[in-house]
Amino acid sequence: MNIEKVAVIGAGVMGASIAAHISNAGVPVYLLDIVPKADEGTGKNRNVVADTAVKKLLKANPAALMHKKNARLITTGNIEDHLSLLADVDWVIEAVVENLAIKQQLYRQLEKVCSLQTFISSNTSTIPLRQLVNGFSSEFKRRFIITHFFNPPRYMRLLEWVSSADTDPKVINSVREFADIQLGKGCVECKDTTGFIANRIGIYWIQCGLLEAFRQGISVEQADAVMSAPLGIPKTGVFGLLDLVGLDLIPHIMESMQQLPEGDAFYEINQVPELFTRMIADGYIGRKGKGGFYRLNTADGKRVKESINLVTGEYSKSEKPVLDCLKVAHKQGLTAFLSLDDKNSQYAWTVISKTLLYAASLIPEIADDITAVDEAMCLGYNWKQGPFELLDKMGVAWFVDKIKQQGQEVPDILRSGNFYKRDAKKPEYRTLSSGYQAIQRPEGVLLLADLKLQKPAVLENASASLWDIGDGVACFEFHSKMNTFDMAILSLLRDSLKKVETDFKALVIHNEADNFSAGANLGLLMTAIHQGDWDSVESLIKQGQQTFMAVKYAPFPVIAAPTGLALGGGCEILLHCDGIQAHAELYTGLVEVGVGLVPGWGGCKEYLRRCLQLKTLGGPIPPVVRAFETIAMAKVSSSAVEAQELLILAKTDGITMNKSRLLADAKAKALAMSRDYAVPDAIEYRLPGKTAKVLLDMTVKGFRLVGKVTEYDVQVASRLATVLSGGDCDISAPLTENDLLNLECQVFTEIVKQPGTLARLDHMLKTGRPLRN
């Protein structure tokens, strides 16, 4: 059964955010909540709770909506007047307060109004399914499941689902397929136990990290530093994560865990330090309050990040810790880091070893296999490796020996060697019977990581690789730091284009990192500027231009499949491809002006072409103005949908909601395009020249007069205007692409010779932020 209309009941933060994400999928959704008692029978807005929730969605940061227009798909109402609307919906998601009686009262109302074909699920995170459906008919139980979204639903990919022996498999399959393909979720089946998988382990890890820091005298900065990068855990670590989710939620979560079976290891850490309780009482509940373990304080007109002392409870300026153990972790790896006789490493070992032992003890109580646990922690807590993958990384035998030396009991599941086989042609995991079984990917999922196990790269160097992904399609992968473009990537890309021309039908440009590309390697440029080596600067620009032009005019289709950041040069290569199949979470733009440069690898030329082809921009000057505004303001999309609005993605380009399906979708697009492929015709540009240049310069000088831009910004913007207007050209004499590329190279070189450019680039590399003076 297809899901074409959904209802969410409960317009709190979670319910409203779920509704928002369903609208992101282009699916109409009802959002209902109670009628406030004060408004009953008064003639006031009885939908005020849901209406207010949608208003908050429109202002939310980070944005819950991929585009504000998606809010039009959300119809608000209340459960007293509008439950009848649910008669024609395909799926109802209950997201009301965690109170069993209130939930069951709602379910009895839903039984009366919903079709027998309507799926019903609860977003509960604490109440077992068996309790939720107790006393209900077999017909209700047949179409009821738990679907536990993680907050915020747009960004957190995990969806935990729980069913029972009474659940119709068709219900499970329909909801799982919708959540996977249209909502972009990684759907993980859980047993009907308290906390399911991710929170059962994640909350235990947080509690261990919290309590051990107090016990061992570790500062919040030290704790977060050693509990993040060395273990493949987000940089928020423990205390930063507590600030993010809210300290006030922890006592409620701890209370919900009281349903765990007697003897569970969770009870040993089920306590809250006195300082923690005092912080909540004083309003220091994290980012949504006055601050938490970290806070932003204003001193001398500047905002200063401070952290709390876990002993005294006093705040002071937060300093990034410089720890020798982190250098060991970076150079020698995880096992060496955890083996150090160092208080910070020992803290990390204590916390992670307890967490891994706890996870190992929960199989098969919470899940039938280890892959469900690892996937849940990766998708729900953004760990790079789940617990069993971490055990393999550090060495199961090493871990067991260390545990034995400490006199701790070793769970049986740790006595049979590694949990994964990576030397087979398909990744395999260890089953509970100690045999190995291939990991089954859902149909339509194609992962580069799996393909790499099957055959060596066709071509490769230190920064990039070319892979055969089957059916005559190759994949070009960046793997430099932050996937920034260097000479090695440009060189291998040119070689790959020649290889694909002889041996393949099409090329996909894709990688499985968090970010597609952060642009050009500014370090290379800085070295040349520092040495005054202007020939090298020009060579770098020319090589990028020639490579991207070779991509554009290759005799086969080239499809880009980006996700995350695609900035600067990363955006420029998208603009040169025949098509784009983007992950929905695409943050892309020509940001060079933000660091004091202009796009130099054809980005100006290609973006200007898109503006000139937009029929709504009549006359020669409006397209130039549109391109200038976008590039000069360094606009970046906050989603793939916004990238279409910015004209970086064309209407014919595709958007994939589930990142795991991106490569397969891009491959299908490349194959479809290869059937009747023709090399695009060369483009001519009829540009207004000096007329547009004068107009753009006057606009920027106006901003300078009111202090909105710096003098350096004026110089950069003026040179950008030169490129986009065509310089000294006459509109009757069209420019070629090479003419515009030469202009880009010329003004780029002029800019880097200016005093102040090097300082701006250095500041950007060190801070990640542009210098504004």
Side-chain angles (χ1 to χ4, degrees):
M1 174 178 164
N2 293 330
I3 295 176
E4 298 176 349
K5 186 178 288 186
V6 180
V8 177
I9 303 179
V13 172
M14 197 64 192
S17 298
I18 292 170
H21 195 51
I22 290 167
S23 77
N24 289 335
V27 175
V29 55
Y30 293 115
L31 179 62
L32 310 184
D33 209 301
I34 61 170
V35 177
K37 289 185 178 180
D39 293 340
E40 289 180 355
T42 65
K44 293 183 179 179
N45 179 11
R46 291 166 61 81
N47 303 336
V48 64
V49 176
D51 286 348
T52 301
V54 173
K55 289 177 182 177
K56 289 181 179 179
L57 289 175
L58 290 166
K59 298 177 182 178
N61 185 23
L65 297 162
M66 291 181 176
H67 195 289
K68 289 186 177 182
K69 68 182 181 183
N70 293 346
R72 300 172 194 163
L73 290 169
I74 304 174
T75 301
T76 58
N78 66 77
I79 58 176
E80 292 184 22
D81 303 328
H82 303 117
L83 274 184
S84 60
L85 295 174
L86 275 52
D88 67 342
V89 303
D90 303 307
W91 181 17
V92 177
I93 302 169
E94 169 268 300
V96 303
V97 295
E98 290 290 86
N99 181 297
L100 180 60
I102 291 175
K103 289 179 184 289
Q104 290 189 329
Q105 181 183 359
L106 175 62
Y107 300 159
R108 283 188 281 273
Q109 292 176 280
L110 294 179
E111 272 194 305
K112 297 175 183 177
V113 299
C114 291
S115 157
L116 294 178
Q117 281 70 51
T118 300
F119 310 145
I120 300 173
S121 72
S122 174
N123 185 55
T124 182
S125 58
T126 59
I127 304 176
L129 184 146
R130 61 186 178 276
Q131 294 182 21
L132 293 172
V133 298
N134 184 38
F136 285 85
S137 67
S138 58
E139 184 58 46
F140 183 84
K141 293 177 181 178
R142 176 190 66 80
R143 54 200 173 107
F144 187 91
I145 59 175
I146 288 174
T147 51
H148 180 219
F149 291 79
F150 270 61
N151 193 32
R154 170 182 166 181
Y155 301 98
M156 301 305 296
R157 294 180 60 202
L158 179 60
L159 179 75
E160 294 179 317
W161 64 274
V162 181
S163 63
S164 71
D166 298 311
T167 310
D168 186 341
K170 293 179 181 177
V171 174
I172 299 169
N173 293 336
S174 293
V175 171
R176 189 168 54 187
E177 181 178 302
F178 178 85
D180 172 355
I181 297 173
Q182 293 188 250
L183 299 182
K185 297 298 177 185
C187 301
V188 175
E189 181 178 9
C190 308
K191 298 288 188 69
D192 191 18
T193 57
T194 300
F196 309 130
I197 297 176
N199 279 343
R200 179 82 172 270
I201 297 170
I203 298 301
Y204 183 90
W205 164 70
I206 290 172
Q207 275 295 110
C208 284
L210 174 72
L211 297 177
E212 288 297 332
F214 275 89
R215 188 177 71 82
Q216 297 186 31
I218 303 294
S219 73
V220 296
E221 290 96 341
Q222 291 170 336
D224 286 346
V226 298
M227 284 306 301
S228 52
L231 295 161
I233 290 172
K235 63 182 180 180
T236 50
V238 171
F239 292 98
L241 181 59
L242 282 166
D243 279 359
L244 182 63
V245 301
L247 278 66
D248 55 325
L249 291 180
I250 299 303
H252 300 291
I253 294 172
M254 303 293 282
E255 183 180 354
S256 72
M257 292 296 183
Q258 298 297 322
Q259 300 181 61
L260 289 172
E262 187 177 345
D264 191 277
F266 195 92
Y267 289 110
E268 297 173 9
I269 50 112
N270 191 11
Q271 53 189 285
V272 175
E274 187 274 333
L275 174 62
F276 194 96
T277 303
R278 185 161 26 113
M279 289 172 69
I280 296 174
D282 292 343
Y284 288 94
I285 58 174
R287 296 187 188 181
K288 62 186 178 183
K290 295 189 290 187
F293 291 101
Y294 298 95
R295 73 176 184 184
L296 287 176
N297 198 13
T298 301
D300 299 325
K302 295 182 179 179
R303 302 190 81 185
V304 178
K305 184 179 181 180
E306 297 180 339
S307 60
I308 198 167
N309 185 304
L310 298 181
V311 177
T312 66
E314 300 294 325
Y315 284 94
S316 61
K317 184 179 179 181
S318 179
E319 301 285 355
K320 184 177 180 180
V322 179
L323 305 175
D324 289 339
C325 64
L326 295 179
K327 298 176 184 176
V328 172
H330 179 69
K331 293 181 179 179
Q332 300 179 40
L334 180 59
T335 304
F337 164 70
L338 294 174
S339 300
L340 292 173
D341 186 17
D342 166 279
K343 74 170 188 175
N344 294 296
S345 293
Q346 288 305 302
Y347 164 77
W349 162 253
T350 302
V351 176
I352 201 62
S353 63
K354 283 185 174 183
T355 303
L356 297 180
L357 284 172
Y358 187 57
S361 74
L362 296 177
I363 300 292
E365 179 190 342
I366 62 173
D368 283 328
D369 60 68
I370 61 170
T371 63
V373 173
D374 282 344
E375 187 175 11
M377 291 307 296
C378 289
L379 298 181
Y381 278 77
N382 280 333
W383 288 17
K384 288 187 177 178
Q385 296 99 20
F388 297 100
E389 291 170 313
L390 268 174
L391 283 163
D392 274 6
K393 184 176 182 179
M394 64 181 68
V396 177
W398 176 86
F399 181 84
V400 169
D401 285 345
K402 193 168 176 66
I403 290 298
K404 286 180 177 178
Q405 290 171 19
Q406 295 179 342
Q408 294 179 265
E409 186 176 344
V410 178
D412 289 341
I413 197 171
L414 296 179
R415 300 178 186 275
S416 302
N418 283 0
F419 291 98
Y420 291 91
K421 274 189 176 180
R422 304 293 184 184
D423 54 357
K425 287 193 174 182
K426 288 187 176 181
E428 297 180 347
Y429 70 96
R430 177 150 60 84
T431 66
L432 297 185
S433 61
S434 296
Y436 286 89
Q437 183 174 315
I439 296 174
Q440 299 299 316
R441 306 295 186 197
E443 184 179 353
V445 169
L446 181 66
L447 300 181
L448 203 52
D450 291 351
L451 294 169
K452 290 178 182 180
L453 298 175
Q454 300 174 17
K455 60 187 78 172
V458 178
L459 299 172
E460 65 180 334
N461 62 25
S463 297
S465 302
L466 182 71
W467 301 94
D468 182 348
I469 60 174
D471 301 313
V473 181
C475 178
F476 187 81
E477 175 197 24
F478 321 135
H479 43 71
S480 59
K481 185 176 181 180
M482 285 294 289
N483 290 328
T484 53
F485 284 91
D486 55 21
M487 291 302 190
I489 287 180
L490 295 176
S491 175
L492 194 74
L493 181 51
R494 291 192 295 272
D495 291 342
S496 295
L497 292 170
K498 296 173 184 175
K499 186 69 174 176
V500 174
E501 183 175 358
T502 58
D503 295 358
F504 295 89
K505 299 176 186 177
L507 176 66
V508 171
I509 301 177
H510 171 73
N511 61 72
E512 291 176 347
D514 291 338
N515 296 304
F516 179 73
S517 174
N521 184 333
L522 294 180
L524 296 176
L525 182 62
M526 287 178 64
T527 300
I529 297 173
H530 186 72
Q531 296 172 351
D533 187 355
W534 311 122
D535 288 340
S536 291
V537 171
E538 185 171 337
S539 175
L540 175 64
I541 297 303
K542 289 291 186 183
Q543 284 196 49
Q545 290 180 348
Q546 291 163 6
T547 304
F548 287 6
M549 284 289 278
V551 168
K552 181 176 180 179
Y553 289 109
F556 48 82
V558 180
I559 303 298
T563 185
L565 297 176
L567 303 176
C571 180
E572 288 182 284
I573 197 168
L574 300 186
L575 294 172
H576 284 82
C577 290
D578 294 290
I580 302 172
Q581 185 70 37
H583 182 225
E585 297 299 342
L586 176 64
Y587 319 121
T588 185
L590 297 168
V591 298
E592 288 87 347
V593 171
V595 295
L597 301 171
V598 296
W601 285 347
C604 293
K605 164 183 71 73
E606 287 301 311
Y607 190 74
L608 181 57
R609 175 177 64 82
R610 280 162 161 73
C611 294
L612 288 167
Q613 291 174 341
L614 196 63
K615 294 179 181 179
T616 56
L617 297 176
I621 292 182
V624 173
V625 173
R626 168 74 183 265
F628 182 81
E629 287 177 349
T630 300
I631 300 173
M633 295 176 69
K635 291 184 179 180
V636 175
S637 69
S638 62
S639 67
V641 173
E642 284 197 2
Q644 282 185 324
E645 197 168 75
L646 282 177
L647 305 183
I648 295 170
L649 266 64
K651 295 296 182 184
T652 54
D653 290 330
I655 297 175
T656 298
M657 291 293 282
N658 193 325
K659 185 178 177 181
S660 298
R661 295 179 174 276
L662 182 57
L663 181 56
D665 289 350
K667 177 183 173 182
K669 190 178 188 71
L671 283 170
M673 193 174 287
S674 70
R675 296 187 188 106
D676 301 300
Y677 184 73
V679 177
D681 294 330
I683 303 296
E684 289 187 338
Y685 293 78
R686 294 186 181 273
L687 298 173
K690 290 184 178 179
T691 305
K693 173 73 162 60
V694 169
L695 173 65
L696 297 175
D697 282 346
M698 287 176 60
T699 302
V700 175
K701 287 177 180 176
F703 284 124
R704 175 63 180 144
L705 288 173
V706 295
K708 290 187 175 181
V709 297
T710 67
E711 185 57 38
Y712 187 93
D713 294 331
V714 172
Q715 297 301 316
V716 172
S718 179
R719 287 174 169 84
L720 174 64
T722 297
V723 176
L724 296 176
S725 64
D728 295 328
C729 76
D730 187 292
I731 196 167
S732 63
L735 298 179
T736 66
E737 291 183 84
N738 283 331
D739 291 333
L740 281 179
L741 288 174
N742 289 334
L743 262 180
E744 282 189 25
C745 186
Q746 174 191 322
V747 302
F748 190 96
T749 306
E750 290 173 359
I751 289 171
V752 298
K753 290 180 179 179
Q754 284 196 162
T757 298
L758 194 60
R760 278 166 167 75
L761 295 176
D762 185 58
H763 185 271
M764 184 67 188
L765 280 176
K766 289 179 178 177
T767 68
R769 297 186 303 273
L771 182 63
R772 308 309 305 166
N773 61 36

